[in-house]
Amino acid sequence: MEKKLLRLLLGMLFLSVQAIAQQKTITGKVTSADDGNALPGVSIKIKGTPDGTVTDVNGLYSIKAGNGQVLVFSFISFATQEIAIKNNNTINVKLGADTKSLNEVVVVGYGTQKRANLTGAVSTVDTKALQSRPITDVARGLQGVVPGLTITTATGDLGTDPKIRLRGLVGSINTGAAGAAPLILVDNVEIPSLQLINPDDIESISVLKDAASASIYGTRAAFGVILVTTKAGKRNAANRITYSNNFAWSLPTTQIKLAPAADNAQASLLALQRFDPNTTSFGVIGYTVDAGAIQKMRDWETQYGNQNLGPEMVQGRDFDIIGGKLYFYRSWDAGKMYLKDWTPQQSHNVGISGGSEKINYNIGLGYLNQDGVLKVNPDKFSRYNFSMGLGASPTKWLDARAKVIFSNTVTSTPFIFSSSQYGPYYYLYRWPANYPYGTYNGLPFRSTVTEVQQAKIDQDKNNLSRISVGGTFKVLPGFTIDADYTYSGTNEHLHQTGGNTMAYDFWSFNGTALNYTGYQSASYNKARYYSYWNTVNTGKLFATYNKNIGDHSFKAILGSDIELNEYTSESAERRNLLDQNFGEVNLATGDQFASSTNGHYSTLGYFARINYAYKDKYLLELNGREDGSSRFPVNNLYGFFPSASAGYILTKESYMDWSKGFLSFLKVRGSYGSVGNQAVGNNRFLSLLSAQTSGWILPSGNATTLTTPTPLSPVLTWETIRTADLGLDARFLNDELGLTFDVFNRTTSNMISPGVTLPSSFGAASPVRNYGELQGKGWELAIDYNHTFSGGFHFSATATLSDAQETITKFANTSLQLPDPIAALNTKYYAGMKLGEIWGYETDRLFTASDFAGKDAAGHYVYAKGVPSQTQMESGSFYFGPGDVKYKDLNGDGVVYQGANTVDDHGDKKIIGNSTPRYQYGLRLGADWKGFDLNVFFQGVGKRDLWASGPIFIPGFRGAEGWYSNQMDYWTESNPNAFYPRPTNYGAAADKWDFQPQTRYLLNMAYLRLKNVNLGYSFSKSVTRRLGIERLRVFLSGENILTFDHLGGIQIDPETDFSQTQIDNDRAGFGRVYPYRKTYSAGLQVTF
Amino acid sequence: MFGLILISWGCKKTDEFLTKQPLDQFTDDTYWTSEGNVRTFAFGFYPTYFPGYASGFDLSWGGYFSGESLNDDFAPLTPTTFTKNVPATDVATGGWTDGFKNIRKANLFIDRIKKVPMPDEAIKHWTGVARFFRALEFASKVKKYGDFPWYGKVLAETDVKELYRPRDPRTMVMDSVLADFNYAAANVRTADAATGPQGLVVNKSVVLAFMSRVFLFEGNWEKYQANNAAKATEYLTAAKNAANEVITKGGYSVAPDYRKLFNSLDLSTNTEIILYRKYQTGLLTHSLNSYVNKEVQTGASKNAIESYLCKDGLPISVSPLYKGDKTIANVMTDRDPRIAATFVPAIRLNGVVSNYSSSGYAVLKFFNEDIKDLTDGNSSLNDTQAPVIRFGEILINYAEASAELGTLTQNDLDISINKLRKRTGINMPALQVMGGQPAVNGNVYDDPKRDPTVSSLLWEIRRERRTELMMEGFRNDDLRKWKKYQYLDTQGNPDINLGAWINRADYPKTLSVATQNNAASGYVVPATKAETQRIFNDPKVYLAPLPLDQIKLYKDQGVDLKQNPGW
């Protein structure tokens, strides 16, 4: 083999020697057709020979070549030109921009590939489109940009990571909260959060979607890979300094509005009277509401509603104490008092880059500061970034490289005096409008606003430091060895200072006077430090061999990667602070608490890939990976996962010549491959006992205990994910219009799932086995169009549309219970189930008096003849009557009920919707003309249903508490056509009585959002150069500024979902979360 | 060259590199190594069986106060209903499914203890503790469901036959429970100071105390519900003997202050406490103290108030001391002092005060006045300690078991009930038995209001039990074991849906309560709606229905898991 190589090499040399005989020197300058600037670093090759050169900093080149030979000018993101040498000795070339060129080089796993030659499903992101958007992280910018990626944020919280999922939401029922999350690699090494990366540092983003392109990364890439490459500077490039900034102001997209106090109280009273008609008054956390108080609330509204009375509350006017009871009359707008109208945000980025023939460098500095919406004790998010990339060629046989990334984020939030699911927003919108947010004698009442006001600020700092060194050894022409090592350290330090809150604690009103006191649990009077450290050591070593023989071109890669991931956390807490202003553990005197976690995992894999192309027409790629992971059972550490893909470029065939006029490129491709899934939960193959506090208090404290070890099936092994993908790439009209289409089928087989449903007598959940199978099917479409009109008006459009649906195809389940209406909580599956499906009743309408034939002796309504009975849905003291929801008797048995609530006996229930987002789309329209550029970006979801929970969704969820303005449209005899049924107190229980999952109140979460509008102006070079500025652009931008949805009166943003803490703890907080924001921004970009 | 690098990279230790055991968690293989670990595991059972006043805003308060209101002591606005429907699935704590989790945990514990290197005495002690927990679980399941499958080992998923075994007869299960209790009583340490102080850990007295509670119920059930005289005698004897051993060997005594048993910030030195749950600010707190003080509460019924004797030891219907109930002062004057220790000396009515009670009568028993304005006395931050099982109950268990066995002597009364009557601050005349009839101060009496099917002596024993254990969560179980659910019918027993007597004119216009026939004066009627009345017309409710999904699962395997009768 090596001898052959050598012979070949010598042969080539001989050829060049021959050519030299007729050579002359050609010189010239390469400039950009766009702006006339010199282009340094352009590669110039003599076609058919290995000879070539590059342009210098001024775009000049010189090369020796002979007449008749062809010079090939190529440069990344410019269209390649070929010019034949005639008699002239000077050849000046203008290269035109070619953003969608098929010659564009795309970053793929362990290498790059020409777009035209891709055989797998790979999408790239136009990172330029992300610039000058007032977004804080790249993930938010990817929403709607890459077909197949689902990017969601459940709340508007600052500094949180959006959920990123690829080709469906779940992938396997074991992926947990993360779902089908792709592996995110920054410079080939995993990163825990894209929040840590400055969007400005990013050079390119590729998304590897099918098994064939992702499997080279092994088990962690089961759900695809997002490859982010950061800037490292370019060879022979001018030294440039760039500066950009962005000043933004945002306001909430939606605001929750409570019902007017008196109306709210009236509804509460009606709801409570259902269960006890004698109720004439009720208490809400210490204060009382009765008919007199309701009148007073109304009077107050009439008399003072429009006046600014200041915060001070006057006894007799705003509140009263009568007969040992406390009454509040005055209304407040808690949201308005608590939230700023506008919150600022700013970012600054500086970049310094350049390169000579042997060296390239890039330095990036970034700063981001985002203020939160809190008015009283503002929260904040800030980020500092530093990055440095360096490349050098000290010898002919080595390209060395090094990169340093450092990032520091700080999230500051007021201490929360409750568990996280009951944060300030939960309480801000929990109580009715007459809840006292004012002061009395200048002192505040107990409220979440008071708590935030008096709270100390928690600081959560996250750091990333990453150092990578590596090099490419050019062993022989076409044969290179790459070795890279990366150390990546992330750590988090959280410092919390609790304390107490001083206020009139009317929640425990003593019947005589308001008591100004501290009222928080002693457990909040504490200082706490929490730290988390994670280090990842990654090594990669691979050899690449490129070889062209005639029309055959080969590329082979053989390599290995290894990773060790270790993490530790510790928490230290001490109660009873000496002084709330000094939140230090050693300045507290009470009980001490400490805890730690410690863990590690490792992976090791060997991989090989062969690419073969014949005449750049028939393309074939074969991949194989022998992969090991410590997350797998010790007796089964390794698995072999092969994949293959192939492509066929039809337009290279002569039989397609007829289409040349409009079809410039057509490729069909297909791939199939498998990869193991390690995202099945840590220690999945071990029977664990977890330490926890028992809740049994000994003199020494809360006794520690351990959980019961879970039963484990001895035959359990890993899951395998197979993806088949068929794709088509086409370009029309001289490449101006492009289309990419993919259909895929991703099957998760051997899915770890409960074995056969065991009876309760087993005493534990059935041990899991590799019983299940899940199939995700979908398609992705991307269209782009670029056209420059005469006169310089340039127009571009890109559109993406995708759909994915996941179905359980195999599941050992004999009880066939219906799934939970909230997908994230669901643990019940059956073969044939589409994930996200919502079972419920079809709503007929609200009952009218004529549906009943009077009341029986016990006072319950008797159904009129022919009206199906809903008695079986009654419980407690709830009985259906006029104004309640009338469900449809779908099975016609005269009774509305869920049967056994199983798939084979679901009574009158049916599938009423699905919470999986379908038909996700994005549309970007861009135009530029004479320095002006305008970009408009729409993003949306075509179909999605949600069955929610909590008081925002269910009027009367807690009857005596806050109702919302939209919920005042409830049934009464005088309002029989109301949207909501007769008021009922649900006692904090969801999914019963009038609020069984049903079609009438199902939320339609489809939306179309004007995500971004960006208007920029670039000053003409002739102007800016006088100021020593190479390029100057100013812009205005708006984010989330228009929304179209189908939510009606429900006061939530259409992107709202259950947050993880709501899922884990209490869904009642749904919608009462940190607001989503629309943002307006302005900024500039300068290049020196 | 490349191959060499790969080999050196991988080296022969790759399997070692890829084998990463958890660092901060134990596995079933690594945990069972010392008695300390066994002790630690045991605490996982405690809050399940000894909930005390529960924790946080858990308004079941471990069954204390209105946490158990399906009885004739409480008169709610909406009477607690009997179970109406057969559940499709069972997820509730204390239900069918939950029970087997606890059984598996106990059986696993019993099995793993054998592997731990420790002395034989320790193995026996911990096996006893584990069997005690297993017995408690089976006893509670039998109480709820009747027949129940008995399992003495951890089941594997492949033990299909065992998994789908039909229910074992009630007595068979309870015989096994008795065997567990006997083993535990014989082997559990008298004190286990290494685990924790007396009163906070399971010891021999705790086992015997619970044994008397469990078998008093079961003996009565066999007697009144199952009509199995032989088993009734066996179980009642077990209850009596267990109680007797606590009385004679436990070293406990009746504490001087009745209320301090329920509202103390420290129960560690209380001589009556056999086991209590400790609460501590910042670690574990409850909300019972706040509720009886500041919240709207479910009040006591007229029937409950009238069950208290007058201080001469006679029922109100015969005592000359009874002042009637037109005022709360009259209600409380010259009565068994336990009435004043249990109820607030004021009528709290809706529309007048914010912390009103549904019947006007409000509970005081669990309230600590000293902390009412402190943070600890409010919200869910209460730190009064909860009695889990106390000597006072054991005395009553002893008396009741003896009476039901028909062996009750004056001496039995003197070592049990009369000790409670002699409690400091209570000082009620001793109950005497004369010719099988109850008597005080040498005078035989018979309560004319007594249930004619209950003997006059038994009636007084049951009255003593109701008085002493009022609002402690026993009443429903008592009515079940005596087969007296007819007491719960609000139409058959109007007194259980009546509260205090009031004169409307004495209160402001804001008064918001119903009185009988809406008269200007009369008894408060908490539940006014016809549809909310509790009717007892089907004895099926003595046993809970089995969840449907389980019956179906068994059916799919060809096994008939029988539903309880009537469901």
Side-chain angles (χ1 to χ4, degrees), chain A residues 10-28:
Chain A
L10 287 171
M12 279 178 183
L13 277 171
F14 186 59
L15 276 172
S16 352
V17 172
Q18 273 196 321
I20 290 166
Q22 304 133 15
Q23 269 177 345
K24 59 181 182 178
T25 301
I26 315 278
T27 58

Side-chain angles (χ1 to χ4, degrees), chain A residues 937-952:
Chain A
F937 178 48
F938 293 93
Q939 182 262 333
V941 170
K943 189 174 175 306
R944 180 172 181 246
D945 306 301
L946 188 70
W947 185 257
S949 187
I952 288 269

Side-chain angles (χ1 to χ4, degrees), chain A residues 286-288 292-294 296-297 299-301 304 309-332 433-445 504-506 509 511-515:
Chain A
Y287 73 89
T288 307
I294 295 177
K296 288 268 206 171
M297 291 177 207
D299 294 347
W300 190 97
E301 198 58 48
Y304 305 109
L309 298 177
E312 182 67 8
M313 291 177 57
V314 177
Q315 186 163 2
R317 180 191 73 184
D318 299 337
F319 75 103
D320 229 333
I321 299 172
I322 304 168
K325 292 189 188 179
L326 185 59
Y327 296 91
F328 291 110
Y329 310 133
R330 180 173 175 181
S331 285
W332 302 87
N434 60 322
Y435 188 98
Y437 289 99
T439 58
Y440 178 54
N441 295 331
L443 300 171
F445 286 81
Y504 289 113
D505 183 15
F506 65 96
F509 181 60
T512 50
L514 290 167
N515 181 19

Side-chain angles (χ1 to χ4, degrees), chain A residues 454-503:
Chain A
Q454 295 182 19
K456 295 291 148 197
I457 297 287
D458 291 349
Q459 277 216 328
D460 192 5
K461 295 180 190 170
N462 277 279
N463 287 307
L464 163 76
S465 12
R466 175 180 283 188
I467 298 159
S468 350
V469 288
T472 303
F473 299 87
K474 293 179 266 190
V475 182
L476 289 167
F479 181 62
T480 57
I481 293 174
D482 282 82
D484 286 277
Y485 164 78
T486 303
Y487 163 86
S488 194
T490 45
N491 55 54
E492 181 187 359
H493 296 289
L494 170 68
H495 178 204
Q496 294 179 297
T497 308
N500 208 335
T501 309
M502 297 294 292

Side-chain angles (χ1 to χ4, degrees), chain B residues 415-429:
Chain B
I415 64 164
S416 61
I417 284 178
N418 289 334
K419 291 242 157 105
L420 294 171
R421 291 196 169 194
K422 279 204 195 75
R423 188 196 294 271
T424 312
I426 303 296
N427 241 343
M428 289 287 289

Side-chain angles (χ1 to χ4, degrees), chain A residues 274 277-278 280 323 541 558 562 575 598 600 602 630 687 689-690 694-696 705-706 760-761 858 860 876-877, chain B residues 2 5 9 17-18 21 24-26 28 31 40 44 47 78 84 97 100 163 200 277 282 352 512 528-529 531 550:
Chain A
R274 265 199 98 119
N278 296 320
T280 55
L541 183 64
L558 184 66
I562 185 165
R575 304 263 170 94
N598 191 7
H600 51 189
S602 51
S630 67
S687 182
L689 293 86
S690 309
S694 64
W696 188 258
T705 190
L706 287 110
S760 296
S761 57
H860 306 154
S877 299
Chain B
F2 190 61
I5 295 169
W9 179 291
F17 176 75
L18 285 178
Q21 292 295 334
D24 56 4
Q25 274 172 307
F26 287 106
D28 201 14
Y31 182 69
T40 299
T78 310
K84 282 181 187 165
T97 302
F100 290 106
L163 286 169
L200 281 173
R277 188 168 189 188
V352 184
S512 170
T528 51
K529 283 169 92 177
E531 65 262 34
Q550 293 301 311

